[in-house]
Amino acid sequence: MEELERLLSSKKIVAVQTAPSVRVTLGEEFGLKPGTDVTGRVVAALRMLGFKYVFDTDFGAEVTVLEEAQELLERLEQQERLPLFTSCCPGWTRFCLKQFPTLEQNLSECKAPQQILGSLAKTYFAKKIRKQAKDVAVVSIMPCFSKKLEAKEREHAIAGASQDVDLVITTHELAQMLKAKGIDLRRLSDEEFDNPLGVTGGAGALFGATGGIAEAVMRTAYHATTGGALPRFESNMRPALGQIKEYSIMMGDRDVHLAIVQGYPNASVVCKRVLEEKRNGMRSLDFVEVLGCIGGCVGGPGQPDTGEDAVLMRAAALHERDRRLPLRSAHDNPAVKKVYASMLGKPGSAKAKKFLHRGQRGYAEMLKTL
Ligand code: SF4
């Protein structure tokens, strides 16, 4: 809280971003039913705390989708470093590097959504408001403590000068701050995120629950391969709480095999299987989404602690949000397209790698600290 006060009273322009899951969990801290979507009220509350700009981590998630889909398609084409493991969950990436270091090369090189949003806020957005990276500070509202460690990793610094994200606060910590300031979420009216880093759709929202990253990435990879839209997921294609889920999607003439993994014991099972298959010269999986928490970030340790039913209701609220929003796929997001058109070029370009990827060197750096 003191660090935040210091930032808000500094000369910096302080922007804040909220993770996909926070909008369906913060309400519980104020007595609302689990899964109540309080997106607009979170924005209003953050403005009352003094943030100049309120951005949506869902935007960073949608950029992640474009980069990770490109990474998957390239690896499938070259038939190397498969299966591709997602890297959005810092609890999982640390677990993987520590317990299964030889799988490092399989981890996605993309930064996580909070880091991508931070990087774009200090480059793309800073330029828009005629400022430099050093003039802008970014605070994140996140579902867990490992996001605090992620923000401090050395590869998450723009041109080595400043951190992509300056300060991370959990959902529960945000609730404490709001209560200390006498801000009651239930009494606030909805407000909109600031543009352009607040224009988002269903793909970004899905990141908050298990299975959502894979679903969002497949929408874009499928479109890039076939030109069409991925058929809507049936609810039985989404994983049950605590279970590993596997399915295949026919993309053009290629059958892509996916696994959705939640929780570290399940992650161990899948990592051991991948290593065993590598030893035997086989491969049964192409893409593996791993999130450390059961249910994904809606079940994160920085969220209100209200049990399994609450986790299910929160995930259902994000799925509902995805159904309701007119933009379903990250590659259709006009604000995301604009960032690529004016700054990054194409997904996977040298510029995209500079600002949005941590690269193999990033993991090598992290390995030294574990
Ligand atoms: S799954 Fe859990 S540990 Fe991983 S980013 Fe989400 S809340 Fe954090």
Side-chain angles (χ1 to χ4, degrees):
M1 211 179 233
E2 281 166 18
E3 260 183 78
L4 178 60
E5 294 291 352
R6 259 200 302 278
L7 262 186
L8 287 171
S9 56
S10 71
K11 288 200 176 120
K12 294 205 177 215
I13 292 163
V14 188
V16 65
Q17 57 171 320
T18 65
S21 56
V22 174
R23 69 209 65 206
V24 293
T25 61
L26 185 66
E28 287 162 59
E29 297 272 4
F30 293 85
L32 296 171
K33 213 172 74 178
T36 306
D37 189 338
V38 290
T39 309
R41 283 183 268 180
V42 177
V43 176
L46 291 169
R47 287 218 176 91
M48 287 176 81
L49 280 182
F51 291 103
K52 175 109 171 118
Y53 295 101
V54 184
F55 295 138
D56 194 348
T57 312
D58 288 19
F59 186 94
E62 298 201 355
V63 175
T64 305
V65 168
L66 264 64
E67 292 299 318
E68 219 160 71
Q70 177 66 24
E71 210 177 7
L72 174 65
L73 293 175
E74 280 174 14
R75 290 194 195 186
L76 283 171
E77 196 54 45
Q78 292 153 5
Q79 286 293 299
E80 62 173 30
R81 296 163 66 200
L82 291 166
L84 172 67
F85 282 100
T86 58
S87 62
C88 298
C89 169
W92 147 244
T93 50
R94 282 162 182 267
F95 174 85
C96 176
L97 291 173
K98 207 163 177 180
Q99 303 294 331
F100 303 96
T102 55
L103 291 178
E104 177 203 334
Q105 52 162 326
N106 292 71
L107 285 168
S108 163
E109 294 186 16
C110 300
K111 292 182 180 183
Q114 78 149 342
Q115 302 301 146
I116 285 185
L117 197 292
S119 172
L120 292 175
K122 292 189 177 186
T123 52
Y124 177 74
F125 182 72
K127 195 171 172 201
K128 263 187 174 316
I129 57 170
R130 297 173 197 277
K131 296 286 176 192
Q132 296 180 336
K134 65 178 174 50
D135 303 320
V136 178
V138 177
V139 176
S140 301
I141 314 298
M142 291 286 133
C144 66
F145 307 95
S146 57
K147 286 282 169 191
K148 297 185 188 229
L149 299 175
E150 179 182 74
K152 287 191 167 22
E153 286 158 11
R154 264 199 286 170
E155 69 272 20
H156 291 139
I158 298 161
S162 79
Q163 288 175 207
D164 296 342
V165 171
D166 297 85
L167 182 65
V168 180
I169 293 163
T170 65
T171 313
H172 182 61
E173 288 167 341
L174 173 63
Q176 286 178 303
M177 288 181 195
L178 294 174
K179 286 173 188 170
K181 298 263 180 198
I183 300 171
D184 184 348
L185 199 75
R186 289 168 305 180
R187 295 178 187 278
L188 303 183
S189 303
D190 288 350
E191 291 186 18
E192 299 284 331
F193 285 109
D194 287 296
N195 288 336
L197 307 185
V199 179
T200 61
L206 288 176
F207 268 58
T210 178
I213 302 168
E215 191 171 335
V217 168
M218 290 317 290
R219 284 179 191 174
T220 290
Y222 186 91
H223 178 263
T225 309
T226 68
L230 183 70
R232 276 187 190 271
F233 269 39
E234 304 297 332
S235 52
N236 65 2
M237 286 177 82
R238 290 182 171 141
L241 205 59
Q243 309 264 306
I244 298 173
K245 178 82 187 171
E246 289 187 39
Y247 57 85
S248 296
I249 289 180
M250 202 65 198
M251 280 193 339
D253 54 5
R254 189 176 271 148
D255 209 7
V256 180
H257 299 275
L258 297 97
I260 312 300
V261 183
Q262 41 186 321
Y264 299 106
N266 283 337
S268 270
V269 169
V270 172
C271 287
K272 283 178 187 161
R273 171 176 149 192
V274 169
L275 287 172
E276 178 68 22
E277 288 180 353
K278 276 183 190 247
R279 269 192 293 275
N280 295 327
M282 297 163 53
R283 180 165 54 79
S284 62
L285 295 168
D286 298 305
F287 184 89
V288 183
E289 174 198 301
V290 190
L291 291 171
C293 298
I294 300 295
C297 298
V298 286
Q303 307 281 26
D305 182 16
T306 35
E308 273 191 7
D309 285 349
V311 171
L312 288 170
M313 289 160 89
R314 296 165 185 169
L318 291 180
H319 292 148
E320 175 54 30
R321 190 171 169 78
D322 168 51
R323 259 191 302 278
R324 201 164 26 86
L325 291 173
L327 266 178
R328 279 195 75 230
S329 299
H331 55 268
D332 289 331
N333 183 330
V336 169
K337 284 194 212 175
K338 223 170 177 174
V339 177
Y340 278 95
S342 61
M343 174 181 163
L344 301 169
K346 289 183 175 164
S349 68
K351 270 200 173 161
K353 285 188 173 155
K354 179 175 174 195
F355 293 108
L356 313 177
H357 289 221
R358 58 164 119 211
Q360 286 280 297
R361 220 180 38 162
Y363 287 124
E365 282 287 312
M366 203 207 287
L367 261 176
K368 281 186 218 155
T369 68
L370 293 174

XYZ file of all heavy atoms in Angstrom, residues 312-370:
465
model
N -15.973 -22.567 -9.676
C -16.799 -22.952 -10.833
C -17.678 -21.789 -11.304
O -17.841 -21.561 -12.505
C -17.681 -24.158 -10.467
C -16.928 -25.482 -10.336
C -17.838 -26.556 -9.734
C -16.382 -25.938 -11.680
N -18.258 -21.060 -10.346
C -19.141 -19.939 -10.718
C -18.347 -18.814 -11.389
O -18.813 -18.158 -12.320
C -19.881 -19.413 -9.473
C -20.939 -20.402 -8.987
S -21.398 -20.125 -7.272
C -22.715 -18.959 -7.441
N -17.120 -18.608 -10.915
C -16.270 -17.574 -11.535
C -15.932 -17.968 -12.979
O -15.980 -17.133 -13.889
C -14.974 -17.422 -10.743
C -15.166 -16.922 -9.322
C -13.898 -17.148 -8.519
N -14.048 -16.798 -7.116
C -13.166 -17.090 -6.175
N -12.055 -17.743 -6.480
N -13.364 -16.741 -4.929
N -15.568 -19.247 -13.180
C -15.237 -19.707 -14.546
C -16.462 -19.570 -15.444
O -16.349 -19.117 -16.599
C -14.760 -21.163 -14.505
N -17.631 -19.939 -14.918
C -18.866 -19.833 -15.718
C -19.119 -18.379 -16.117
O -19.571 -18.091 -17.231
C -20.048 -20.391 -14.916
N -18.792 -17.451 -15.214
C -19.004 -16.028 -15.528
C -18.084 -15.579 -16.659
O -18.478 -14.768 -17.513
C -18.767 -15.178 -14.274
N -16.859 -16.098 -16.699
C -15.949 -15.729 -17.797
C -16.412 -16.343 -19.114
O -16.327 -15.721 -20.174
C -14.509 -16.165 -17.472
C -13.826 -15.389 -16.341
C -12.414 -15.915 -16.104
C -13.765 -13.889 -16.648
N -16.919 -17.588 -19.042
C -17.446 -18.207 -20.269
C -18.653 -17.417 -20.784
O -18.838 -17.243 -21.991
C -17.818 -19.675 -20.006
C -16.615 -20.534 -19.734
N -16.636 -21.619 -18.893
C -15.344 -20.445 -20.184
C -15.421 -22.161 -18.851
N -14.635 -21.468 -19.622
N -19.463 -16.940 -19.857
C -20.629 -16.137 -20.225
C -20.181 -14.819 -20.877
O -20.743 -14.359 -21.864
C -21.484 -15.874 -18.968
C -22.680 -14.946 -19.145
C -23.608 -15.372 -20.275
O -23.700 -16.595 -20.536
O -24.221 -14.474 -20.896
N -19.140 -14.229 -20.287
C -18.596 -12.980 -20.843
C -18.122 -13.213 -22.289
O -18.376 -12.411 -23.179
C -17.434 -12.526 -19.945
C -16.924 -11.154 -20.248
C -15.932 -10.673 -19.189
N -15.274 -9.468 -19.651
C -15.825 -8.259 -19.633
N -17.012 -8.083 -19.119
N -15.189 -7.214 -20.117
N -17.444 -14.336 -22.488
C -16.974 -14.682 -23.843
C -18.147 -14.828 -24.810
O -18.089 -14.374 -25.950
C -16.164 -15.991 -23.769
C -15.875 -16.582 -25.142
O -15.382 -15.828 -26.004
O -16.135 -17.784 -25.343
N -19.236 -15.453 -24.335
C -20.421 -15.644 -25.198
C -21.052 -14.290 -25.548
O -21.544 -14.094 -26.653
C -21.474 -16.475 -24.457
C -21.511 -17.952 -24.885
C -22.746 -18.657 -24.323
N -22.826 -18.590 -22.878
C -22.176 -19.390 -22.053
N -21.374 -20.324 -22.528
N -22.308 -19.274 -20.744
N -21.045 -13.378 -24.580
C -21.753 -12.111 -24.702
C -20.999 -11.073 -25.546
O -21.609 -10.261 -26.223
C -21.963 -11.563 -23.273
C -23.050 -10.558 -23.104
C -23.428 -10.369 -21.632
N -22.438 -10.648 -20.632
C -21.521 -9.789 -20.194
N -21.432 -8.594 -20.689
N -20.678 -10.142 -19.231
N -19.677 -11.075 -25.489
C -18.917 -10.014 -26.154
C -18.917 -10.218 -27.668
O -18.783 -11.355 -28.145
C -17.476 -9.976 -25.626
C -17.333 -9.500 -24.179
C -15.896 -9.650 -23.696
C -17.769 -8.040 -24.052
N -19.072 -9.139 -28.432
C -19.141 -9.291 -29.885
C -17.827 -9.775 -30.503
O -17.842 -10.487 -31.509
C -19.499 -7.879 -30.379
C -19.265 -6.955 -29.233
C -19.301 -7.762 -27.980
N -16.689 -9.416 -29.900
C -15.393 -9.844 -30.456
C -15.025 -11.193 -29.859
O -14.783 -11.280 -28.653
C -14.318 -8.859 -30.011
C -13.939 -7.691 -30.889
C -12.888 -6.855 -30.167
C -13.420 -8.168 -32.216
N -14.953 -12.229 -30.686
C -14.656 -13.545 -30.109
C -13.183 -13.926 -30.237
O -12.659 -14.674 -29.432
C -15.486 -14.627 -30.808
C -16.906 -14.749 -30.314
C -17.501 -16.051 -30.793
N -17.008 -17.193 -30.058
C -16.533 -18.298 -30.628
N -16.452 -18.410 -31.929
N -16.119 -19.304 -29.884
N -12.549 -13.426 -31.282
C -11.187 -13.906 -31.568
C -10.193 -12.764 -31.516
O -10.474 -11.664 -32.007
C -11.148 -14.545 -32.957
O -12.035 -15.635 -32.985
N -9.019 -13.061 -30.967
C -8.003 -12.019 -30.785
C -7.599 -11.386 -32.114
O -7.363 -10.180 -32.187
C -6.779 -12.631 -30.103
N -7.543 -12.198 -33.188
C -7.082 -11.648 -34.477
C -8.101 -10.686 -35.091
O -7.799 -10.017 -36.076
C -6.740 -12.780 -35.455
C -7.868 -13.739 -35.674
N -8.022 -14.887 -34.933
C -8.892 -13.717 -36.537
C -9.103 -15.527 -35.335
N -9.654 -14.839 -36.312
N -9.325 -10.624 -34.539
C -10.334 -9.671 -35.037
C -10.343 -8.369 -34.242
O -11.071 -7.441 -34.585
C -11.740 -10.293 -34.955
C -11.925 -11.399 -35.983
O -11.279 -11.324 -37.046
O -12.701 -12.341 -35.717
N -9.575 -8.306 -33.158
C -9.596 -7.115 -32.290
C -8.955 -5.924 -33.034
O -7.752 -5.950 -33.342
C -8.816 -7.421 -30.998
C -8.854 -6.267 -30.008
O -8.942 -5.105 -30.392
N -8.784 -6.597 -28.730
N -9.739 -4.860 -33.326
C -9.184 -3.759 -34.132
C -8.039 -3.029 -33.435
O -7.102 -2.572 -34.098
C -10.386 -2.823 -34.328
C -11.368 -3.192 -33.260
C -11.134 -4.634 -32.935
N -8.083 -2.938 -32.097
C -7.011 -2.231 -31.383
C -5.721 -3.058 -31.402
O -4.617 -2.509 -31.506
C -7.449 -1.948 -29.945
N -5.865 -4.380 -31.333
C -4.687 -5.257 -31.423
C -4.085 -5.146 -32.832
O -2.863 -5.011 -33.004
C -5.072 -6.728 -31.094
C -3.933 -7.680 -31.442
C -5.434 -6.863 -29.609
N -4.964 -5.148 -33.832
C -4.478 -5.044 -35.222
C -3.689 -3.749 -35.413
O -2.685 -3.716 -36.111
C -5.664 -5.042 -36.193
C -6.300 -6.406 -36.404
C -7.196 -6.303 -37.610
C -8.383 -7.187 -37.539
N -9.317 -7.034 -38.623
N -4.170 -2.688 -34.784
C -3.520 -1.385 -34.928
C -2.107 -1.387 -34.324
O -1.184 -0.797 -34.873
C -4.372 -0.314 -34.223
C -4.499 0.947 -35.022
C -5.524 1.825 -34.379
C -5.622 3.133 -35.122
N -6.697 3.949 -34.604
N -1.943 -2.069 -33.190
C -0.611 -2.142 -32.573
C 0.359 -2.822 -33.543
O 1.500 -2.387 -33.724
C -0.638 -2.922 -31.236
C 0.763 -3.044 -30.662
C -1.543 -2.249 -30.224
N -0.129 -3.899 -34.188
C 0.747 -4.597 -35.140
C 1.013 -3.718 -36.358
O 2.146 -3.625 -36.833
C 0.129 -5.942 -35.552
C 0.416 -7.017 -34.525
C -0.513 -7.309 -33.529
C 1.624 -7.705 -34.523
C -0.252 -8.267 -32.562
C 1.904 -8.669 -33.565
C 0.959 -8.947 -32.581
O 1.252 -9.899 -31.628
N -0.049 -3.044 -36.852
C 0.120 -2.244 -38.071
C 1.086 -1.082 -37.835
O 1.913 -0.774 -38.688
C -1.238 -1.723 -38.537
N 1.004 -0.455 -36.657
C 1.808 0.760 -36.472
C 3.128 0.524 -35.746
O 4.008 1.369 -35.778
C 0.999 1.821 -35.735
O 0.638 1.334 -34.472
N 3.285 -0.631 -35.091
C 4.530 -0.800 -34.324
C 5.235 -2.136 -34.543
O 6.447 -2.188 -34.735
C 4.206 -0.640 -32.827
C 5.355 -0.922 -31.893
S 4.841 -0.715 -30.167
C 6.143 -1.580 -29.331
N 4.472 -3.234 -34.512
C 5.123 -4.539 -34.410
C 5.296 -5.290 -35.726
O 6.076 -6.235 -35.801
C 4.326 -5.437 -33.442
C 4.168 -4.915 -32.011
C 3.149 -5.753 -31.249
C 5.519 -4.930 -31.291
N 4.556 -4.888 -36.749
C 4.570 -5.685 -37.985
C 3.672 -6.895 -37.799
O 2.530 -6.766 -37.386
N 4.241 -8.091 -38.037
C 3.436 -9.321 -37.924
C 3.726 -10.041 -36.617
O 4.812 -9.863 -36.051
C 3.815 -10.269 -39.065
C 3.336 -9.808 -40.411
C 3.701 -10.857 -41.432
C 3.105 -10.445 -42.763
N 3.621 -11.103 -43.882
N 2.799 -10.914 -36.168
C 3.134 -11.770 -35.023
C 4.410 -12.563 -35.316
O 4.590 -13.069 -36.426
C 1.919 -12.712 -34.919
C 0.790 -11.933 -35.516
C 1.403 -11.111 -36.622
N 5.282 -12.613 -34.325
C 6.533 -13.362 -34.500
C 7.628 -12.562 -35.195
O 8.728 -13.085 -35.435
N 7.371 -11.279 -35.548
C 8.398 -10.461 -36.210
C 9.523 -10.134 -35.217
O 9.384 -10.344 -34.003
C 7.780 -9.151 -36.708
O 7.426 -8.355 -35.577
N 10.609 -9.570 -35.753
C 11.732 -9.215 -34.876
C 11.279 -8.212 -33.813
O 11.664 -8.309 -32.645
C 12.866 -8.627 -35.711
N 10.431 -7.260 -34.205
C 9.967 -6.270 -33.228
C 9.055 -6.910 -32.194
O 9.121 -6.593 -31.004
C 9.227 -5.143 -33.949
C 10.135 -4.038 -34.365
C 9.361 -2.780 -34.619
C 10.329 -1.639 -34.871
N 9.696 -0.528 -35.539
N 8.169 -7.799 -32.657
C 7.281 -8.486 -31.709
C 8.128 -9.262 -30.706
O 7.851 -9.266 -29.498
C 6.327 -9.415 -32.451
N 9.193 -9.894 -31.201
C 10.050 -10.676 -30.294
C 10.743 -9.757 -29.301
O 10.901 -10.089 -28.130
C 11.063 -11.492 -31.089
C 10.394 -12.691 -31.731
C 11.353 -13.638 -32.362
C 10.566 -14.869 -32.817
N 11.165 -15.587 -33.887
N 11.152 -8.594 -29.771
C 11.863 -7.659 -28.878
C 10.971 -7.206 -27.716
O 11.405 -7.142 -26.567
C 12.316 -6.452 -29.692
C 13.040 -5.419 -28.875
C 13.567 -4.301 -29.744
C 14.163 -3.213 -28.867
N 14.371 -1.976 -29.594
N 9.708 -6.906 -28.015
C 8.855 -6.319 -26.978
C 7.940 -7.326 -26.276
O 7.469 -7.055 -25.173
C 7.991 -5.204 -27.588
C 8.807 -4.022 -28.031
C 9.016 -3.760 -29.370
C 9.394 -3.185 -27.092
C 9.788 -2.684 -29.777
C 10.162 -2.106 -27.480
C 10.371 -1.853 -28.836
N 7.672 -8.453 -26.926
C 6.633 -9.343 -26.385
C 7.140 -10.727 -25.982
O 6.374 -11.525 -25.446
C 5.510 -9.535 -27.416
C 4.957 -8.275 -28.103
C 3.923 -8.653 -29.142
C 4.337 -7.325 -27.073
N 8.408 -11.016 -26.280
C 8.927 -12.357 -25.953
C 10.031 -12.237 -24.921
O 10.725 -11.242 -24.849
C 9.525 -13.026 -27.201
C 8.488 -13.436 -28.207
N 8.552 -14.618 -28.891
C 7.370 -12.806 -28.645
C 7.494 -14.700 -29.715
N 6.780 -13.615 -29.585
N 10.199 -13.309 -24.147
C 11.337 -13.311 -23.251
C 12.478 -14.122 -23.846
O 13.627 -13.944 -23.488
C 10.960 -13.860 -21.891
C 10.396 -15.261 -21.917
C 10.445 -15.804 -20.526
N 9.142 -16.125 -20.014
C 8.853 -16.025 -18.715
N 9.709 -15.604 -17.867
N 7.672 -16.386 -18.293
N 12.133 -15.021 -24.760
C 13.163 -15.776 -25.466
C 13.834 -16.810 -24.595
O 13.662 -16.850 -23.387
N 14.610 -17.664 -25.245
C 15.318 -18.732 -24.533
C 16.289 -18.147 -23.526
O 16.499 -18.679 -22.457
C 16.078 -19.599 -25.532
C 15.166 -20.513 -26.323
C 14.785 -21.748 -25.523
O 15.638 -22.536 -25.172
N 13.516 -21.911 -25.228
N 16.875 -16.979 -23.841
C 17.825 -16.362 -22.933
C 17.145 -15.997 -21.615
O 17.725 -16.054 -20.557
C 18.411 -15.122 -23.586
C 19.898 -14.978 -23.314
C 20.387 -13.763 -23.974
N 19.353 -12.723 -23.848
C 19.576 -11.453 -24.006
N 20.740 -11.048 -24.304
N 18.608 -10.567 -23.888
N 15.852 -15.611 -21.740
C 15.091 -15.250 -20.552
C 14.983 -16.414 -19.594
O 15.184 -16.274 -18.390
N 14.688 -17.597 -20.123
C 14.579 -18.775 -19.265
C 15.937 -19.151 -18.690
O 16.043 -19.595 -17.553
C 13.964 -19.948 -20.027
C 12.484 -19.778 -20.262
C 11.941 -19.826 -21.532
C 11.626 -19.561 -19.193
C 10.579 -19.658 -21.743
C 10.264 -19.388 -19.388
C 9.750 -19.442 -20.671
O 8.414 -19.269 -20.859
N 17.001 -18.985 -19.506
C 18.344 -19.307 -19.023
C 18.671 -18.430 -17.809
O 19.218 -18.893 -16.814
C 19.362 -19.089 -20.135
N 18.282 -17.147 -17.897
C 18.500 -16.217 -16.776
C 17.742 -16.699 -15.546
O 18.243 -16.699 -14.436
C 17.960 -14.824 -17.143
C 18.853 -14.023 -18.054
C 20.082 -13.520 -17.334
O 19.930 -12.978 -16.234
O 21.187 -13.701 -17.876
N 16.470 -17.109 -15.765
C 15.640 -17.503 -14.637
C 16.182 -18.782 -13.991
O 16.185 -18.924 -12.771
C 14.204 -17.736 -15.113
C 13.185 -17.593 -13.987
S 11.727 -18.526 -14.230
C 10.926 -17.607 -15.486
N 16.661 -19.704 -14.843
C 17.193 -20.968 -14.312
C 18.316 -20.726 -13.303
O 18.416 -21.423 -12.294
C 17.734 -21.813 -15.472
C 16.828 -22.912 -16.004
C 17.461 -23.579 -17.208
C 16.523 -23.933 -14.933
N 19.116 -19.688 -13.577
C 20.250 -19.396 -12.676
C 19.776 -19.005 -11.289
O 20.478 -19.164 -10.311
C 21.076 -18.231 -13.258
C 22.002 -18.638 -14.378
C 22.863 -17.437 -14.743
C 23.070 -17.391 -16.236
N 23.342 -16.066 -16.743
N 18.559 -18.464 -11.197
C 18.088 -17.975 -9.896
C 17.314 -19.032 -9.116
O 16.921 -18.803 -7.983
C 17.154 -16.747 -10.081
O 15.948 -17.196 -10.718
C 17.800 -15.667 -10.913
N 17.049 -20.184 -9.712
C 16.203 -21.181 -9.028
C 17.044 -22.175 -8.218
O 18.160 -22.437 -8.547
C 15.351 -21.930 -10.059
C 14.293 -21.095 -10.762
C 13.614 -21.914 -11.855
C 13.244 -20.592 -9.791
